[in-house]
Amino acid sequence: MSAPTTRLGTVPAPTRPRAGRRRRERTLLTLRLVLALAVSVVLLFPLYWMVVVSLSSRAELLGGDLRFWPRDLTLENFRRVLDSFPVLTWFGNSVAIAVVVALLTVAVNLLAGYAFAQLRFRGSGVLFLLALSTLMLPVQVIMVSLFRLVTGLGLYGSYWAVILPTAASAFGVFLARQFLIAIPRELVEAARIDGAGHLAVFLRIVLPLSKPLIAVLFFMSLLQTWNDFAWPLIALKDNALFTLPIGLLYLQGQFGSDYGGTMAFALLTVAPMVVLFLGFQRYFVQGFARSGIR
Amino acid sequence: MSLTRRGFLGATAAAAPVALAGCAGFRTGGAATDEGADGALTFTTWGTDSELAGFRSAIDQFLAANPGSQVQLNAVPYEQMFTNIDAQIQAGNPPDVFRVPYYTFGGYAGRQQLLDLTPHLEAGFADRFTETAWSAVQNDGKPFGVPHHTDTSAILYNKDVLDAAGITAVPTEVEQAWTWDQFGEVAATLRKSLDRDKYPFAYNWQGNGVTRWLSLLFQADGRFLAEDLRTPAIDSAAGRAALEFSQGFFSDRLVPPSDSVKSTTYAADLWYSQTTAMVFGGAFMVPDADATLDFSWGATFAPRKVRGGGDFGGNALVATAGTPRPELAAKFLAFVTEQEQMRAFCAGASLLPTRRDLAEQGVEFAVRPELSPVFLGQAGVVRAQDAAQVASPSMTGIITVLKDQLEEAFVGGQSVEDTLAGLTEGIASATAGE
Amino acid sequence: MSTPAVRLPRTARRPGRAAEALAGYTFLAPNLVLLGVFVLLPLVGAAVLSLQRTDGFGAGRFVGLDNYARLVGDGLFWRSTLNTALFTAVVTPLSMALGLGIAVLLNSVLPGRAFFRSVLILPMAVSGVATALMGVLVFDENSGVVDKLLRFAGLPAVPWQSGGAAAFVSVVLVTLWWRVGFNMLIYLAGLQGIGPEIYEAGKLDGASGWQAFRHLTVPMVGPSSFFLLIMNVIYSFQVFDIVFVLTGGGPRNATSVLVTYAYDTGFVTRDQGYAAAIGMVLLLVTLAFTALRWRTSRSRDLVG
């Protein structure tokens, strides 16, 4: 993905256009720019508003007038949230759980994706469809029995109660198969003829070629786990082990909702992922572009 | 089999090092030694800051009075409190003691999930509490918890707005509370003086607060369950009156359209943002309102019709049926309802006492103490027969029925007769299904 | 789709077929074990549960197909089904059309493309709960910024919480905000696989911009569209966080969908057998749709 941030895009420059055509092109360009800006404003506004609210005093939020910038900036909401809740602990829990899930997902799905893409064996088509069909299952459908299972396995209340069910996702399998199917089979065959075992082929040939895929899988998984809330809510019990999204619920008090505090907390929850996203988006987009979904 | 880790990190997770939490989270306990080996009592609750502070200080005093015992407080978000409790009950590993609203109490007590306290309580224990409070923790005539505190909704009003509308006198004695007609006049006067997008009041019947609609039913001297606590009794003159009255709130634009029972907007927020001049709300709102609002405000009683009536809000503390430490759990429940402990808790958290002696003497709130009599007076009009109905094991189902039917009646244009029929049918199937 | 895409003509003799099969199963094992234990096993459990009546504590009572019979006469179930279908029918085409439109825009000559792309995929990083909370801030009918703006402009405020249609629209809008970025990303990946020479050829044939889009771009991104259609439908059937936080299914069940209804039934009223039955219906509908889609596009190679 080459996205020049400078004047012109990747479309080959037209050969010496006439003046009229150039004017029309300029009008079109302006039009496109305006459109892109408009879309960006619409998408950014809610995020901006979240920041504004988190920096506003409660009195100002309750005042009825329309303002797009708080009269006096205050960090009071952040201070209150950080004082009243073990945010740092929850942050650590979120990181621990998300990273372990992401690593597990990458490992498990790469192996499975490789098998589906490059190896021939009886039943692979059926198994692939079976894995794929689990994507259709909302977690709410199996929540009750999943809970009983996790309890029966003695995992309830520990990180594993969140990690293992979350890592059991087929989305990565699908993505991995799409990507790895593009690896020329001759490459694999050649290595096999040289006497390399399947595992050696996977480690020496497939893994180095899969970096963009690994990046995408890792991020998708990290993001999903970081933001997950329905299942961890049920699976965790001690507040010392809670993740950030559950903490967000604390702020939905029984009476008047504290918008400033809620948004301050939400911002703390969202910020790390947004930063990561912006930092690594190039790899992310590349990975998607090359994952063969097209 | 259940192999959870219990309270590795003490009562609060505050400032526990991340690494420690990490280790703890990845360990799945494997043996009973993992439990509070010394028989620590686990206590799960939700709470506002001041409530949690109250619980903590009560626990400290309990430990001082009972050397060698341990209590671990686990604070969870209210939103998920009962999903969590249910999950733990199913897992066979519930906390020893938890906090439960009176309308949820019956659901656990009626399903044999709570400890019958009868053998563990000293003689005459029941006399501590008001008749109303004690009736709220009964199931099949036996106590399955202690009424820890109560709360009830009075009216909080924005003084500036009422003054501007010329309403300068509000009732200060519970016997003088506005009648429905007077309340209607006040609301109509406010309606005339307010802008289109402002409203006279908001009613706090959102979510499980739908039980607060029953206050109107009680004021009309009605019941929703007959004496046997199973047969629907809502299809009555009182039921009709309460429905017509509350439907009028919406048709006369006395409450904001988004103030219906299934709304995600809290009534308190509408009042805070000065969208409404008055709001129905409990004493627990007082500290927060005092800290937040920059207009002058006061409190008066909920209206009365045949009699005064209110919701028996607040919470019981209960022990679970399977607790391995029934004696200690019962001891703890008895301790936190001692006079001194209850007084301190109620004063700090702006809640109302359930003890006879304190209900008579009154409790001075730490914040805006001059409002205490209003809420105490309001709590005084709640009758035991009202509280007993709410303790029904089928209450969870009845709450769902109330939500569905009232929503239709208020914003769906459903007629009073159809609503009464729907309520009757729904309540009957809820009590039959349990 | 009975066989995986076979790309090579079968070689006459492939040594080590057994070994290859063994390797295949071994590579699949970790994934299949995880899926089997934490998805399929609970699913069987849910199916069993859907034949029981249980209050969530202790063992349930076997009642056969009773729960399913109850569904037929349950107005709220039908309402939730209708809402789920409507939501899917609105959100899927809209998020795909917007995603494609923006992808085409970003794929053309445009200054600051990288910046715009970053902005567009930013919502993907925000959790569903936080997204819904933002929605609450923006769409509250008493203090939300949208209605403040409308009043400021002298227009009537929209009853986002008290009007059924408006509440439904607010859920759709918030969902679009959240999902368009993903659609755009997939389409952008698809567009970048199309060489410019195709368009050059189109130009020579005298195709207008719209014609080129209609007859060149749309068919070329077909595989992306297929993938997105499946993904969006699956997502729409499972929308939970946003409805749960933003509207709670109200007003008057106007935004109640199957997943929230199942959740309420299972965890609020504790009618867990019935909740499991709702879940089973949801699963069957999703599977039926996907199978249908798959059959009608058997000829299409997903891998493009």
Side-chain angles (χ1 to χ4, degrees), chain B residues 251-266:
Chain B
S251 57
D252 299 342
R253 303 190 59 250
L254 303 180
V255 296
S258 61
D259 185 44
S260 186
V261 293
K262 284 201 181 176
S263 172
T264 45
T265 311
Y266 286 110

Side-chain angles (χ1 to χ4, degrees), chain A residues 58 62 89 92-93 147 151-152 154 156 158-160 163 233-234 236-240 249-250 252-257, chain B residues 1 4-5 7 9 13 16 21 25-26 28 46 48 74-76 79-80 83-84 87-88 91 266 269 272 284 288 292:
Chain A
R58 195 143 173 212
L62 293 171
T89 306
N93 296 338
F147 175 82
T151 305
Y156 170 56
S158 75
Y159 286 167
W160 298 110
I163 290 169
L233 214 51
I234 306 256
L236 295 172
K237 98 185 218 293
D238 281 342
N239 71 7
L249 270 187
Y250 267 101
Q252 306 279 68
Q254 280 188 89
F255 55 97
S257 24
Chain B
M1 77 174 188
T4 36
R5 300 202 52 281
L9 292 172
F26 284 111
T28 56
W46 76 95
T48 60
N74 191 33
V76 298
E79 300 280 339
Q80 286 308 318
T83 315
N84 251 315
Q88 291 173 37
Y266 286 110
D269 282 348
Y272 273 37
F284 72 94
D288 188 56
T292 308

Side-chain angles (χ1 to χ4, degrees), chain A residues 146-162:
Chain A
L146 182 58
F147 175 82
R148 292 180 181 182
L149 175 84
V150 163
T151 305
L153 293 172
L155 302 173
Y156 170 56
S158 75
Y159 286 167
W160 298 110
V162 179

Side-chain angles (χ1 to χ4, degrees), chain A residues 29-30 65 67 72 112 140 150 154 200 236 250 259 263 283 293:
Chain A
L29 189 68
T30 316
D65 29 345
R67 324 172 60 86
D72 14 309
Q140 286 81 6
V150 163
L236 295 172
Y250 267 101
Y259 285 134
M263 286 301 138
Y283 304 98
I293 305 175

